DNA sequence: ATATGGTTGGTTGTTTTAACCAACTAACTG
DNA sequence: CAGTTAGTTGGTTAAAACAACCAACCATAT
C-alpha cells in the first residue's frame, strides 16, 4: 500500500501537498472503490464516471489485476459492439481480522474484503489485565486463521465500548470494562509486528462505518446517524461519508444529553439523560416496576425476555416497549434538528420489535419536525445481517485496504 | 481561477479524479492559504511545512506574484545566511461584496481579501418582492464600489436568516422574511453576469465561517460550534475546518431541540424548545413577566435595554440574564455531548454581558460534562470586531478566491 | 579593510511520474 | 463488411522532484 506524506494540521487548513504518487494513489483508491460499490463494472464505465481517460483507467486496472485485488470476466449478452470486460472484487485472497470487545463477550472474526465473515468465535471478556487480554485476543484471531488455512491478515480492526482515540489506537476511557489509556495499537504491534494496519474504534462508530460500507438500503447513505441501543445508547455520526470523531473522540454521546430536567438518574451521574429513558436498561427497569406494581411480587427479566413477551402479545411488555419507542422518538427528534441527517439507522435487540416501536417513534418525530425537508427523514433498522459492532471492526480493517487520500471540493 | 472537474457523488465515495491541473490547483491553494494564515512567511518555510520541493514552491509563488495576490519584501534582521524574502497577501487589489439580509435590516460591505471591510452601508429589509429586493441589493453594492473607486468584485457573498441550499444558491425557507425557494444565485447572475463567484449561506453558518477564517483566539480552531443568540438561536457547526451543512441544509438547529417536555411554547409550534428559554425573545419575555409581577404595571423593553440595565447593576435584569445563562448552559451541555467540539463560540447582543452569563454557563456545563476531556471545553464570546453575519457573507466570497480542491487523508 | 569559509534562501535545467490524447486493434452485431 | 463499442499502445504534456548552482548574508582570520 502507498506510503503517506506527513500531514500537518496548521490553523484552518489541513495541509497536504500533492505529488504524482499521491495522484496515483487517489485515482487508484477511487477506481478500487468504484469496483467495490458498482461491480460488475467495465473499464469504459469507470472512465465515464470518473472522468479519467480510458487509458489511465486501463493502466490502474492493470495494476489492480496484478495485485489480485480484482478479476475480470467477459460479459456475454451485449447488444452491439465489443463486449466489455466486467471487473469484480477478487475474494479469497486478502483477509482481515475483526475483534469486538464488549463488556461481557469478546467476539472474533476473519473477514474477506467484501465484509463477508469467514469464521467466527468468542470468549468472555477478561478486562482486569488489558495487555494480557489483547494479546490473548490476538492468539484467538491467529487461531481462527490457522483453522481456515489463512496465512496472514492484511489488517486488524478492534471495536470496543468507550471513548477511543482512533488516530493513536488508544482506548482513552472505557468505564464498562474499566480500561483507561490502553494503547491497543502498541500491544498489537508488539504481539503481531508483521501486521502493519491496525485500526481501533468505538463500537457504535464502527457500526456506523459498517452500515456505510455494507448496508443495503435503497437510500444512498452518506449522511446519517447510527444509533446503537444497548444497555446504554451509543451512536456514530456519518457526514459526507466520513465518521465525525469529535475533538476528544467523544462525539455522538446523545445518550447523555439531557431531555428531562430533574428526570431519572442516569449511570453517568446526571439526571434526565436520554439513556435513562430509552435504553435497554431503562426499558427493563420500567417493565419491572410495572409488573411489580401490578402483581406485588418482584420479577427478574432481561431485555430479550421483554421482547419475546411482546412478540407473544404480552400487554405490559408491549406497553413498555411503546413507551420506549416514544422516548426514542423524543431523542431522535433532537438528533435530527442537531445534525440534519438523511437517515437514522438503529441497531440493538430492540429492532426485533420494530413494528412495535416504529409507529411510536415516527409519530413523535413527525410532530416535532419543523421544517418541510426534515419530515422526509428515514428511520430504519440496521440492514446488516451480522452483529454491527463485529462487522464494524472488520470494516475499519477493510477500509485500510481500500482507502487512501481523498480529494474534496 | 482554476476550473473544476465535474464532481460525481456516487454511493459512498465522492468521486473526484485527479490530473495534473488538479494537482497544481491543490498545491497553489495550499500555499496561498499558508501565506494568508502565516504571513510573513518565506518560500523555504512553505517548502518545509508543506513538504513540497522548494523549486515547486518557487514556481507556484511566482504565479501568485504575477497574479498580484501576494507581494514579497526582504527581511532585514536575519542572524546568519542569506535573508529570506518574506511573502505577504497583497491588499487593495481584489475585493468582494458582502450582503447580510436580516429580518429588519440588510447590510452591505466591500471587503478586501483579508476580511477587512472597506466600506459599509445598510437599508431596511424589504421582503415582499424577493427578486426586486435582491436586485436592489446589488445596486447598493455596486454603488458602494463606485464610491470607493473599485472597478469590479471578484465574488459576492450573501448571508441570510433561514435554511439555505448553499450548493445551489437557493433560499429554501426563511420564515422571518417570508421567502421560500428564492434562487438568489440566479437573480444575481442575471443582474451581474460579470461576477462569476456567488455564495449564499445561512447567517449563523456563515458567522461560523467568519470565526474560522478571521477569528483571533489562542486556540487552533478547527472543530467548533458558533452559537448565534438573537431573537432565536442559530448555529454553525464546523468539523475539521468545514461547515456541516446537513442533508437538507438544516443542521445546527439546536434552538429547536426539546429541553423541557411540555415546556414553554416556541415560535416553531412545539413546546420546550431551547430557544424558548435562552434566546433574546425568551429573555425579554422573562424580564417583562418579572417586572410586571413586581410592579403591577406593564413595561415594554428590548434586549438591549435589559443589557444596559444589567451593566448598571439592575437587579432584575441581572437575575434575568443569569437565568438565561443557566438555560444557555443546559443547551450547550447537550451540544458538547452531541458534537464534542473543541470550543463553543457565541455571538449576539448578549455577549456584552459576558461576565454575567459565563459563570452560569460554565457551572452548568462542568456539572454535566461526563468525560474527562469534555471538561476542557472552551466557551468563548466571538473574537470578531465586526458583525459576524456580515463578515460571514464576506468570508464566503473570499473563500471562493482561496479555496479549491482539498486532499484529506 | 578584505579575503574566505560557512550558512541559509532561492533559481535553473534535467529527470521522473502519471495523466492525456489520438490512433490503433479487438470483438461483437446486423 | 460497415458500424459500433471496448480496450491498448505509443507519443505528448504538465507538474513535481532532484541536483547543481547562484545569491546574500555572517564570522573570522589575515
Amino acid at each position: 500500500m502507498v506510503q503517506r506524506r506527513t500531514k500537518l494540521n496548521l490553523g484552518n487548513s489541513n495541509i497536504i501537498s500533492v505529488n504524482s504518487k499521491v495522484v496515483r494513489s487517489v485515482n487508484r483508491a477511487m477506481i478500487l472503490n468504484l469496483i467495490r460499490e458498482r461491480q460488475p463494472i467495465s473499464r469504459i464505465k469507470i472512465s465515464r464516471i470518473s472522468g479519467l481517460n480510458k487509458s489511465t483507467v486501463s493502466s490502474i486496472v492493470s495494476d489492480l489485476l496484478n495485485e489480485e485485488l480484482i478479476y475480470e470476466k467477459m460479459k456475454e449478452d451485449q447488444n452491439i459492439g465489443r463486449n466489455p470486460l466486467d471487473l469484480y472484487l477478487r475474494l479469497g485472497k486478502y483477509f482481515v481480522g475483526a475483534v469486538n470487545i464488549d463488556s461481557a463477550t469478546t467476539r472474533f472474526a476473519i473477514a474477506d474484503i467484501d465484509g463477508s465473515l469467514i469464521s467466527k468465535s468468542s470468549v468472555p471478556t477478561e478486562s482486569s489485565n488489558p495487555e494480557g487480554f489483547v494479546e490473548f485476543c490476538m492468539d484467538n484471531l491467529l487461531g481462527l486463521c490457522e483453522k481456515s488455512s489463512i496465512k496472514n491478515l492484511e489488517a486488524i480492526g478492534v471495536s470496543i465500548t468507550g471513548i477511543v482515540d482512533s488516530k493513536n489506537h488508544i482506548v482513552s476511557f472505557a468505564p464498562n470494562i474499566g480500561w483507561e489509556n490502553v494503547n491497543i495499537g502498541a500491544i498489537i504491534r508488539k504481539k503481531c509486528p508483521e501486521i502493519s494496519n491496525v485500526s481501533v474504534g468505538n463500537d457504535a462508530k464502527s457500526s456506523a462505518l459498517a452500515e456505510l460500507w455494507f448496508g443495503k438500503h435503497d437510500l444512498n447513505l452518506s449522511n446519517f446517524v447510527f444509533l446503537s441501543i444497548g444497555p446504554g445508547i451509543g451512536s456514530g455520526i456519518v457526514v459526507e461519508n466520513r465518521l465525525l470523531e469529535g475533538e476528544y473522540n467523544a462525539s455522538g454521546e446523545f445518550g447523555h444529553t439531557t431531555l428531562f430536567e430533574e428526570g431519572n438518574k442516569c449511570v453517568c451521574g446526571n439526571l434526565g439523560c436520554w439513556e435513562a429513558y430509552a435504553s435497554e436498561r431503562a426499558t427493563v427497569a420500567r417493565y419491572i416496576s410495572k409488573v411489580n406494581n401490578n402483581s406485588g411480587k418482584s420479577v427478574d427479566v432481561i431485555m430479550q425476555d421483554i421482547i419475546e413477551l411482546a412478540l407473544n402479545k404480552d400487554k405490559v411488555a408491549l406497553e413498555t416497549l411503546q413507551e420506549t419507542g416514544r422516548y426514542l422518538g423524543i431523542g431522535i427528534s433532537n438528533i435530527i434538528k442537531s445534525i440534519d441527517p438523511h437517515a437514522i439507522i438503529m441497531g440493538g435487540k430492540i429492532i426485533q420489535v420494530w413494528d412495535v416501536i416504529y409507529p411510536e417513534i415516527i409519530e413523535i418525530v413527525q410532530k416535532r419536525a419543523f421544517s418541510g425537508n426534515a419530515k422526509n427523514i428515514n428511520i430504519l433498522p440496521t440492514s446488516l445481517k451480522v452483529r454491527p459492532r463485529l462487522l464494524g471492526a472488520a470494516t475499519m480493517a477493510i477500509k485500510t485496504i481500500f482507502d487512501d487520500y481523498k480529494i474534496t471540493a
Side-chain angles (χ1 to χ4, degrees), chain A:
Chain A
M1 306 287 152
V2 183
Q3 190 192 319
R4 289 194 178 163
R5 169 175 295 211
T6 331
K7 174 181 176 183
L8 290 150
N9 193 330
L10 300 148
N12 137 358
S13 50
N14 291 339
I15 295 181
I16 301 179
S17 60
V18 180
N19 56 22
S20 57
K21 280 184 185 166
V22 174
V23 169
R24 185 66 163 198
S25 139
V26 170
N27 288 335
R28 175 188 174 281
M30 188 209 60
I31 290 179
L32 183 53
N33 276 293
L34 254 181
I35 295 170
R36 184 176 66 77
E37 290 170 14
R38 302 276 198 107
Q39 66 172 324
I41 187 171
S42 61
R43 290 163 174 80
I44 198 78
K45 270 190 187 159
I46 293 173
S47 166
R48 281 200 273 262
I49 290 171
S50 66
L52 285 172
N53 191 280
K54 55 183 185 168
S55 61
T56 306
V57 173
S58 268
S59 160
I60 291 174
V61 162
S62 150
D63 286 357
L64 295 173
L65 286 167
N66 283 336
E67 290 180 68
E68 298 188 273
L69 273 162
I70 61 172
Y71 68 94
E72 61 184 355
K73 203 180 127 187
M74 176 77 82
K75 189 172 193 166
E76 294 294 334
D77 56 330
Q78 189 71 357
N79 284 343
I80 195 173
R82 174 176 172 178
N83 290 351
L85 290 159
D86 273 339
L87 301 170
Y88 300 82
L89 270 196
R90 158 158 268 143
L91 300 183
K93 170 85 186 176
Y94 295 104
F95 300 94
V96 302
V99 182
N100 171 241
I101 303 177
D102 213 346
S103 47
T105 308
T106 295
R107 295 172 211 277
F108 308 98
I110 306 296
D112 210 324
I113 57 174
D114 65 341
S116 57
L117 302 189
I118 306 298
S119 62
K120 291 190 275 189
S121 71
S122 67
V123 300
T125 299
E126 180 50 71
S127 55
S128 59
N129 170 15
E131 175 151 1
F133 184 65
V134 172
E135 286 174 2
F136 175 65
C137 287
M138 290 303 107
D139 286 330
N140 265 276
L141 211 50
L142 297 177
L144 271 186
C145 284
E146 214 163 323
K147 229 178 60 187
S148 312
S149 335
I150 287 167
K151 267 162 249 111
N152 63 321
L153 296 174
E154 287 301 306
I156 287 180
V158 181
S159 66
I160 187 163
T161 76
I163 292 170
V164 180
D165 175 354
S166 288
K167 195 173 280 177
N168 300 308
H169 313 135
I170 292 170
V171 175
S172 314
F173 184 57
N176 290 340
I177 53 174
W179 290 11
E180 227 165 299
N181 293 318
V182 176
N183 192 326
I184 291 194
I187 300 171
I188 295 179
R189 270 194 302 280
K190 200 171 136 195
K191 174 83 180 174
C192 312
E194 74 284 4
I195 295 172
S196 51
N197 289 312
V198 176
S199 306
V200 184
N202 167 273
D203 52 0
K205 285 178 180 169
S206 69
S207 298
L209 207 61
E211 193 73 45
L212 176 68
W213 278 59
F214 300 116
K216 304 259 181 252
H217 300 285
D218 295 336
L219 313 162
N220 246 358
L221 279 187
S222 56
N223 296 302
F224 69 97
V225 174
F226 186 97
L227 273 183
S228 181
I229 313 292
I233 297 183
S235 89
I237 304 170
V238 174
V239 177
E240 291 175 30
N241 301 307
R242 292 161 58 104
L243 266 180
L244 193 157
E245 294 283 356
E247 177 77 18
Y248 304 108
N249 308 298
S251 70
E253 286 288 355
F254 298 109
H256 297 288
T257 56
T258 308
L259 294 194
F260 300 92
E261 279 298 307
E262 312 297 324
N264 293 352
K265 177 120 187 169
C266 176
V267 290
C268 77
N270 287 313
L271 301 179
C273 294
W274 185 30
E275 184 169 308
Y277 290 81
S279 66
E280 291 184 0
R281 213 155 19 214
T283 304
V284 169
R286 204 158 357 87
Y287 176 82
I288 288 175
S289 88
K290 274 179 204 283
V291 172
N292 286 357
N293 278 353
N294 289 354
S295 69
K297 61 178 179 181
S298 103
V299 291
D300 190 18
V301 295
I302 59 170
M303 186 67 182
Q304 192 59 40
D305 299 331
I306 301 175
I307 289 168
E308 308 281 350
L309 284 164
L311 290 172
N312 290 314
K313 310 287 177 202
D314 177 89
K315 235 178 147 179
V316 181
L318 280 170
E319 191 185 295
T320 307
L321 290 170
Q322 282 164 344
E323 281 167 20
T324 299
R326 286 196 288 279
Y327 288 125
L328 284 170
I330 296 172
I332 288 172
S333 301
N334 280 359
I335 295 175
I336 293 168
K337 288 170 184 171
S338 304
I339 309 289
D340 186 27
H342 189 193
I344 303 279
I345 311 286
M346 293 175 62
K349 294 193 185 75
I350 202 167
I351 67 170
Q352 296 167 68
V353 285
W354 189 250
D355 295 344
V356 177
I357 60 169
Y358 181 72
E360 309 293 330
I361 295 173
I362 198 71
E363 190 191 326
I364 301 267
V365 170
Q366 298 285 15
K367 209 177 89 191
R368 299 189 180 216
F370 68 105
S371 122
N373 283 329
K375 298 216 174 198
N376 297 330
I377 186 79
N378 300 285
I379 301 175
L380 305 166
T382 175
S383 64
L384 302 175
K385 301 301 174 208
V386 297
R387 290 170 197 277
R389 282 173 288 190
L390 184 57
L391 183 57
T395 309
M396 287 189 291
I398 293 169
K399 190 169 145 66
T400 64
I401 296 174
F402 285 90
D403 261 17
D404 215 298
Y405 295 101
K406 269 192 182 156
I407 183 161
T408 50

